[in-house]
Amino acid sequence: MIMDNTVNIAIFASGGGSNARKIMEHFQASQIGKVALIVCNKPEAGVLDIAREFDIPSILITRKQFYESRDVLETLEKYNIGFIVLAGFLWLIPDYLVQAYPNKIVNIHPALLPKYGGKGMYGMNVHKAVKANGESQSGISIHFVNEHYDEGNLIFQATCALKPEDDAATIAKKVLEVEHRHYARVIETIIQTMQKEERNDL
Ligand code: GAR
């Protein structure tokens, strides 16, 4: 009998989707996980074009649907999704999803949490704040998602050095490079650990 333990991954994204692209590329060649669905909340988001390019189904959700119905959960179940990756997704994850996917939702934040996290701290806002404080380094934080912005347990961090002449745009570029280098690989390791723990529970 052939056992297929490949976990179906859903990527939630709101923007250009450069991290989503890296993750799709990575898991094309993986036995551990497969990107099976893209969930997006912005009709003009670049990630929707990337999904088409990779022939991965996508859904566009409204705020009302996300917070006042269980449509998204039903779709995740339909696609047999076992793991959720946030890659530049800017809405807070509702309680019902956190409870349905305990320690199975991860986020990447473009700074070294617990600094520069919380509501309103996303994208360029983060890098502008890092610049305003004259930090000599920034980096990335990958963490589990709970009901609060950027507060779930940390899984992985990596840093990049900043120079005094860096502005918010060059900081953003440096941080994005670090994200691209690590996120897919760290996701794969988390899924492998999750599978081992589930096997030990049997
Ligand atoms: C990434 O830098 C990600 O860390 C950030 O949005 C960007 C998305 O880029 N996420 C947040 O700020 C969440 N608080 P991408 O669409 O090119 O992957």
Side-chain angles (χ1 to χ4, degrees), residues 15-19 88 90 108-110 121-123 150 176 179:
S18 70
N19 278 289
L90 301 183
I108 192 161
H109 186 76
M121 274 295 176
Y122 60 86
D150 305 324
L176 198 62
E179 296 188 356

Side-chain angles (χ1 to χ4, degrees), residues 1-169:
M1 188 169 70
I2 299 169
M3 295 278 284
D4 183 8
N5 292 324
T6 309
V7 172
N8 281 345
I9 301 167
I11 302 178
F12 287 35
S14 307
S18 70
N19 278 289
R21 176 187 287 282
K22 289 281 171 196
I23 297 162
M24 291 179 210
E25 282 170 1
H26 180 94
F27 283 99
Q28 274 185 325
S30 168
Q31 308 290 315
I32 305 294
K34 170 181 178 238
V35 180
L37 182 68
I38 303 299
V39 176
C40 179
N41 61 337
K42 287 243 159 65
E44 70 281 9
V47 71
L48 293 169
D49 297 323
I50 300 173
R52 270 190 291 275
E53 196 186 310
F54 281 75
D55 210 12
I56 294 170
S58 59
I59 58 163
L60 195 56
I61 57 168
T62 64
R63 190 175 274 279
K64 195 169 161 53
Q65 230 179 352
F66 199 43
Y67 292 106
E68 294 174 29
S69 82
R70 296 292 183 269
D71 288 1
V72 173
L73 187 55
E74 279 166 23
T75 307
L76 295 172
E77 283 164 0
K78 186 177 125 198
Y79 283 92
N80 196 22
I81 299 299
F83 197 80
I84 298 174
V85 171
L86 310 187
F89 185 71
L90 301 183
W91 286 352
L92 188 66
I93 299 301
D95 292 4
Y96 72 84
L97 263 190
V98 175
Q99 280 150 23
Y101 286 87
N103 281 347
K104 291 178 181 177
I105 310 177
V106 292
N107 179 43
I108 192 161
H109 186 76
L112 296 169
L113 292 171
K115 286 167 104 179
Y116 306 108
K119 192 166 167 42
M121 274 295 176
Y122 60 86
M124 287 308 281
N125 295 350
V126 175
H127 307 303
K128 281 180 191 161
V130 168
K131 174 66 189 171
N133 283 342
E135 298 281 3
S136 59
Q137 64 169 14
S138 189
I140 66 166
S141 303
I142 298 172
H143 63 93
F144 286 116
V145 169
N146 66 14
E147 292 85 348
H148 307 283
Y149 277 114
D150 305 324
E151 284 184 15
N153 287 342
L154 272 172
I155 302 163
F156 177 89
Q157 289 186 306
T159 61
C160 56
L162 302 180
K163 294 188 178 143
E165 61 268 30
D166 280 326
D167 59 14

